[in-house]
Amino acid sequence: MKFTHLNNAGEAYMVDVTAKTPTVREATAVGRVTASQAVMQALRDGTVPKGDVLAVARIAGISAAKRVPELLPLAHTIGVHGASVDLSLEEDHVAISATVRTADRTGVEMEALTAVTVAALAIIDMVKGVDRSAAIEECKIVAKSGGRSGDWKREE
């Protein structure tokens, strides 16, 4: 197996995508934050002391998708042309889904994953005073489209 971010000497480098043609690309990632029943009820009732947790998490995730090159040293700076973060209150967790789109030379999988994980971190930050046991789980890419490798979907 050859890793694209390692040169022949095994040293990390940033892959040169200059010659690649920009194409429409999309990636979707999911994750979840598990929390106590008390926190889940407070989220449903809108009574978490720090405020509107889901609104903050949504904006945090979208903002994070645009900052990936600042966080991951080998990530390319690309135009994030669309980003959505959806959150839903399930019985014992907050489900998070993020879809990121671009028309650029490289994919947006890391942007989608970053959106999900930062949205999850925002939830943890806002509920930690009520439930220190809240946890981030199952962050993963579930679909991508566009680019040289084409479309892919995770089979569960």
Side-chain angles (χ1 to χ4, degrees), residues 5-6 38 42 52 67 88 92 94 104 121 125 138 149-150:
H5 285 80
L6 297 178
D52 189 342
R67 302 188 72 146
S88 64
D92 64 346
V94 180
D104 218 316
L121 287 169
D125 181 48
E138 297 281 327
S149 63

Side-chain angles (χ1 to χ4, degrees), residues 3-83:
F3 291 100
T4 59
H5 285 80
L6 297 178
N7 65 17
N8 291 336
E11 301 163 334
Y13 78 107
M14 187 174 185
V15 175
D16 185 351
V17 297
T18 307
K20 292 176 85 175
T21 302
T23 60
V24 174
R25 299 158 184 266
E26 179 177 292
T28 300
V30 298
R32 65 184 182 187
V33 173
T34 58
S36 68
Q37 286 303 313
V39 164
M40 294 306 300
Q41 192 59 51
L43 288 168
R44 284 184 194 89
D45 296 342
T47 58
V48 174
K50 285 192 173 184
D52 189 342
V53 174
L54 301 184
V56 171
R58 185 176 297 108
I59 295 302
I62 292 168
S63 296
K66 299 185 289 184
R67 302 188 72 146
V68 168
E70 296 173 35
L71 302 169
L72 303 174
L74 301 180
H76 293 88
T77 300
I78 62 171
V80 172
H81 299 125

Side-chain angles (χ1 to χ4, degrees), residues 52-135:
D52 189 342
V53 174
L54 301 184
V56 171
R58 185 176 297 108
I59 295 302
I62 292 168
S63 296
K66 299 185 289 184
R67 302 188 72 146
V68 168
E70 296 173 35
L71 302 169
L72 303 174
L74 301 180
H76 293 88
T77 300
I78 62 171
V80 172
H81 299 125
S84 64
V85 175
D86 298 308
L87 301 112
S88 64
L89 299 175
E90 306 300 328
E91 184 177 330
D92 64 346
H93 68 277
V94 180
I96 307 165
S97 175
T99 299
V100 180
R101 290 179 47 87
T102 190
D104 218 316
R105 291 176 168 87
T106 190
V108 285
E109 293 92 342
M110 297 314 298
E111 286 75 7
L113 277 170
T114 301
V116 167
T117 55
V118 171
L121 287 169
I123 294 167
I124 298 284
D125 181 48
M126 293 189 74
V127 304
K128 70 181 184 290
V130 180
D131 180 8
R132 296 208 189 292
S133 70

